């Protein structure tokens, strides 16, 4: 809920209920004009990175006219929270960048919140088969419930061998949603000629790029930071109840319990945690 508005804000007023985008956009720079809001010259990923973020009682939003979205009263608030970051990230960086199309066989490596967001939004494009790969059996069970046609626990079976056995030369799209060398390597080994590797995961160290094997297969590799340019479209799908991203939420904590919330998420497999909501 908006408490105050600056003199330059024209699209919103005090009392409006809004969705805060994780990406701030000035709307006028060269990158904003290309809808590459992640690289806005006076914005981009600044909340919780370059300035204070939203895990607080109050937060100041620069360029509010271009960085907020009206939140419909009739829609579940918790579904709308998922629109601030994870849902457009999975959709844009995983599904759209991966060029998922009808009939494709795809694999998502990592069944965390981002991987699950890719799973939910990939179904817009009618892939014929969706493999979900993870180490957490609870998350794999949820993935199966939410649309994965097959799940693979890479801790107990050879994910690469299984996919190559059950497909013709591999998958059309491999979506990396972890950010680790091992999971990126799985993508390189399961993608078929002419396929796409869409890297969503945030990598903290280098990975080995097997270019000696990939160049001859006409593989496209994409990666990036979410632009949130699909947020208005995703909002419509939530309003129409086409998807229910609130089902990703497993735990709720009061703001003063934030350290406990981090502890629970840090032990996600034991706690069966997926997405946590903080309540002020």
């Amino acid at each position: 809920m908006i408490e105050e508005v600056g003199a330059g804000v024209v699209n919103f007023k005090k009392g409006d209920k809004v969705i805060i985008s994780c990406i701030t956009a000035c709307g006028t720079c060269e990158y904003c004009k290309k809808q590459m809001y992640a690289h806005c010259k006076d914005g981009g990923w600044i909340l919780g990175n370059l300035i204070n973020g939203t895990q607080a009682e109050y937060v100041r939003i620069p360029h509010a006219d271009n960085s907020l979205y009206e939140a419909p009263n009739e829609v579940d608030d918790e579904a709308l929270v998922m629109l601030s970051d994870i849902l457009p990230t999975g959709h844009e960086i995983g599904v759209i960048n991966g060029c998922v199309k009808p009939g494709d066989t795809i694999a998502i490596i990592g069944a965390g919140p981002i991987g699950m967001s890719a799973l939910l939004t990939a179904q817009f494009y009618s892939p014929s088969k969706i493999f979900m790969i993870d180490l957490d059996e609870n998350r794999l069970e949820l993935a199966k419930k939410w649309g994965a046609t097959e799940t693979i626990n890479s801790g107990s079976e050879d994910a690469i061998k299984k996919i190559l056995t059950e497909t013709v030369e591999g998958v059309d799209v491999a979506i990396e949603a972890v950010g680790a060398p091992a999971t990126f390597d799985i993508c390189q080994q399961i993608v078929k000629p002419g396929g796409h590797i869409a890297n969503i995961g945030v990598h903290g160290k280098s990975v080995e790029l097997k270019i000696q094997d990939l160049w001859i297969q006409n593989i496209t590799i994409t990666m990036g930071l979410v632009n949130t340019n699909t947020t208005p479209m995703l909002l419509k799908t939530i309003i129409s109840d086409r998807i229910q991203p609130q089902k990703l939420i497993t735990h709720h904590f009061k703001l003063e319990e934030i350290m406990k919330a981090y502890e629970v998420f840090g032990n996600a497999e034991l706690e069966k945690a997926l997405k946590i909501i903080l309540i002020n």
Side-chain angles (χ1 to χ4, degrees), residues 71-141:
N73 287 319
E74 69 273 16
V75 179
D76 187 303
D77 286 350
E78 295 188 351
L80 298 177
V81 172
M82 301 300 102
L83 267 181
S84 66
D85 190 347
I86 66 165
L87 201 63
T89 296
H91 181 230
E92 294 172 23
I93 309 303
V95 180
I96 292 181
N97 282 3
C99 296
V100 175
K101 60 186 184 297
D104 275 355
T105 295
I106 73 174
I108 302 169
I109 297 84
I114 294 295
M116 292 293 200
S117 295
L119 170 64
L120 293 178
T121 56
Q123 293 170 69
F124 293 155
Y125 305 91
S126 302
S128 62
K129 197 164 191 177
I130 304 175
F131 291 94
M132 180 64 85
I133 303 170
D134 201 273
L135 296 168
D136 186 329
E137 199 59 44
N138 175 64
R139 290 182 172 186
L140 290 174
E141 288 177 11

